[in-house]
Amino acid sequence: KIVQRPEHILPFLKGKGRLLDVSIDGEYFGWGVLNSYKCKAGTGSAGSAGKAAADAGGPMHTIDVLLPCVDRHFDDKTEGDAAMQEDVSNIGLLWRGTIGHCRPARPGNEEDKKLTSWRVFSIGLSDIDRISAVRIFMPQDITPPEA
């Protein structure tokens, strides 16, 4: 894909707030907001990330994107109502997402609408489907629930 080639996409990743259409491991998350972009040069230094970039044969691009998701443990119906209510009340306190712990919200599902929270996912260039020309304002610190 042309959109995933570094020479085409990197100029659009310079500032936070860009809207990105994202799929991670075959699961479509939809539009998210660019929070940060980093490129490891692959010199072999800087710990495991530098070594991984060196082994990959080129720079390793890491993009932090704010995406809507539902925590996967809400899919487990064996939990009691009290535990579920506590988790619902703490949704805003969790801010880092992984594909193992979060899934995309199902379109049209009313329960998913109530349980959807925004989390920061670290993705690569191959996870970006489309890039928007639109950029939105992002606060410096997005970890507090008020942000």
Side-chain angles (χ1 to χ4, degrees):
K1 289 180 163 184
I2 290 178
V3 74
Q4 296 168 346
R5 298 193 53 179
E7 61 269 17
H8 298 294
I9 195 171
L10 294 183
F12 295 96
L13 301 178
K14 297 298 181 194
K16 65 187 333 189
R18 177 82 58 190
L19 297 182
L20 304 173
D21 197 20
V22 176
S23 295
I24 304 171
D25 292 339
E27 294 193 71
Y28 178 68
F29 279 83
W31 290 96
V33 183
L34 172 67
N35 188 46
S36 69
Y37 162 76
K38 294 178 187 135
C39 178
K40 291 281 184 186
T43 60
S45 62
S48 61
K51 289 177 185 162
D55 293 341
M60 191 165 120
H61 303 278
T62 304
I63 304 155
D64 285 343
V65 181
L66 192 62
L67 292 169
C69 68
V70 175
D71 201 310
R72 288 189 188 274
H73 82 271
F74 287 124
D75 295 338
D76 184 11
K77 300 299 181 190
T78 61
E79 287 188 18
D81 282 341
M84 183 78 76
Q85 288 305 320
E86 180 182 351
D87 290 339
V88 168
S89 67
N90 290 331
I91 267 180
L93 302 176
L94 305 170
W95 61 273
R96 188 54 94 169
T98 64
I99 194 71
H101 294 113
C102 298
R103 65 166 171 79
R106 294 178 287 246
N109 187 314
E110 290 301 317
E111 188 172 328
D112 277 5
K113 285 182 183 178
K114 295 176 194 171
L115 300 174
T116 299
S117 63
W118 288 81
R119 307 247 180 123
V120 176
F121 285 77
S122 292
I123 64 171
L125 295 178
S126 61
D127 297 321
I128 298 174
D129 294 332
R130 295 182 290 174
I131 302 173
S132 174
V134 175
R135 285 180 60 187
I136 62 172
F137 171 77
M138 291 279 294
Q140 288 294 334
D141 185 12
I142 60 168
T143 56
E146 301 84 36

